[in-house]
């Protein structure tokens, strides 16, 4: 598993779970001076262990096919209890303040579903998020699990006589295994009256 110092998103989740919220600062040096204004802040500092990330660090959270920066993630977390129109207005206001800075960083406005998914994942209420790419170690573990289950590589777990087609179409072997375990049902009349001999 990747260490918490290499992944800012995982580190943020761990600090929220431990009730040790990070602080926004204006320098990479470790300090206890928190800055409330994200337009001025440049780094997000964590305790235990002490570590600081630049706010423009891209994270594993993907929105519109591009990674969302740590500033946008932290802003969404700070505004988690705010209604959507207020969140959007706050993001636009902060973007106007950031527009005057060199390099023009900005807050990426997350749509409702993405924001809800992010907040749920950060709180620890869910273990997976469809918007968060897995870590490299998670990807290799998933591949190992697929090989072990027979889904990828190796020998298939579906018996060869179980017909890999249904209605002339090819079906995934795992789905075919589920179909084989289903109870066969007849129509209503056959179930109620039985099959009449012909």
């Amino acid at each position: 598993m990747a260490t918490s110092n290499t992944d800012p998103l995982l580190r943020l989740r761990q600090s929220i779970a431990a009730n040790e919220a990070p602080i926004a600062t204006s320098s990479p040096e470790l300090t206890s001076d928190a800055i409330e204004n994200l337009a001025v802040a440049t780094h997000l500092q964590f305790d235990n262990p002490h570590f600081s990330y630049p706010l423009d660090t891209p994270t594993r959270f993907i929105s519109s096919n591009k990674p969302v920066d740590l500033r946008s993630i932290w802003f969404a977390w700070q505004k988690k209890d705010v209604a959507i129109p207020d969140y959007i207005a706050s993001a636009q206001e902060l973007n106007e303040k950031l527009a005057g800075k060199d390099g023009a960083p900005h807050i990426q406005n997350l749509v409702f579903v993405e924001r809800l998914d992010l907040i749920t994942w950060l709180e620890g209420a869910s273990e997976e998020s469809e918007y968060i790419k897995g870590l490299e170690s998670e990807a290799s573990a998933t591949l190992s699990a697929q090989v072990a289950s027979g889904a990828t590589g190796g020998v298939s777990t579906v018996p060869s006589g179980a017909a890999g087609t249904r209605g002339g179409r090819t079906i995934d072997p795992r789905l075919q295994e589920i179909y084989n375990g289903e109870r066969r049902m007849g129509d209503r009349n056959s179930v109620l009256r039985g099959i009449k001999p012909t």
Side-chain angles (χ1 to χ4, degrees), residues 23-35 40-46 51-55:
I23 59 172
T25 64
S26 60
S27 80
E29 304 299 321
L30 297 177
T31 180
S32 61
D33 298 330
I35 295 177
V40 177
T42 59
H43 288 76
L44 196 61
Q45 176 183 314
F46 295 88
F51 199 80
S52 181
Y53 292 102
L55 283 173

Side-chain angles (χ1 to χ4, degrees), residues 81-103:
D81 297 324
V82 175
I84 296 296
D86 296 334
Y87 167 75
I88 293 170
S90 298
Q92 289 173 344
E93 180 182 329
L94 186 55
N95 280 336
E96 289 171 5
K97 291 178 183 176
L98 288 168
K101 294 179 72 176
D102 294 335

Side-chain angles (χ1 to χ4, degrees), residues 38-106:
L38 277 179
V40 177
T42 59
H43 288 76
L44 196 61
Q45 176 183 314
F46 295 88
D47 289 331
N48 290 334
H50 294 295
F51 199 80
S52 181
Y53 292 102
L55 283 173
D56 59 354
T57 303
T59 64
R60 295 181 295 131
F61 193 87
I62 306 298
S63 175
S64 303
N65 293 326
K66 63 179 184 175
V68 177
D69 64 340
L70 189 57
R71 183 184 312 266
S72 300
I73 299 289
W74 181 241
F75 179 77
W77 174 253
Q78 286 182 319
K79 303 292 182 184
K80 67 181 168 125
D81 297 324
V82 175
I84 296 296
D86 296 334
Y87 167 75
I88 293 170
S90 298
Q92 289 173 344
E93 180 182 329
L94 186 55
N95 280 336
E96 289 171 5
K97 291 178 183 176
L98 288 168
K101 294 179 72 176
D102 294 335
H106 70 282

Side-chain angles (χ1 to χ4, degrees), residues 47-191:
D47 289 331
N48 290 334
H50 294 295
F51 199 80
S52 181
Y53 292 102
L55 283 173
D56 59 354
T57 303
T59 64
R60 295 181 295 131
F61 193 87
I62 306 298
S63 175
S64 303
N65 293 326
K66 63 179 184 175
V68 177
D69 64 340
L70 189 57
R71 183 184 312 266
S72 300
I73 299 289
W74 181 241
F75 179 77
W77 174 253
Q78 286 182 319
K79 303 292 182 184
K80 67 181 168 125
D81 297 324
V82 175
I84 296 296
D86 296 334
Y87 167 75
I88 293 170
S90 298
Q92 289 173 344
E93 180 182 329
L94 186 55
N95 280 336
E96 289 171 5
K97 291 178 183 176
L98 288 168
K101 294 179 72 176
D102 294 335
H106 70 282
I107 296 295
Q108 185 171 347
N109 189 12
L110 302 176
V111 295
F112 176 76
V113 175
E114 293 172 339
R115 182 172 166 240
L116 181 65
D117 193 52
L118 173 68
I119 291 168
T120 304
W121 186 83
L122 286 174
E123 288 175 335
S126 72
E127 292 300 315
E128 294 179 351
S129 169
E130 66 180 280
Y131 301 102
I132 299 176
K133 284 193 319 185
L135 294 169
E136 289 79 21
S137 61
E138 290 175 1
S140 64
T142 302
L143 180 61
S144 297
Q146 288 176 345
V147 169
S149 70
T152 304
V155 179
S156 176
T157 59
V158 176
S160 61
T165 62
R166 183 172 178 150
R169 293 178 288 172
T170 303
I171 296 179
D172 180 36
R174 293 182 300 164
L175 185 59
Q176 185 62 43
E177 189 175 343
I178 292 169
Y179 284 152
N180 290 341
E182 288 182 349
R183 194 170 103 191
R184 303 284 184 237
M185 298 292 293
D187 65 354
R188 179 178 178 274
N189 288 332
S190 297
V191 170

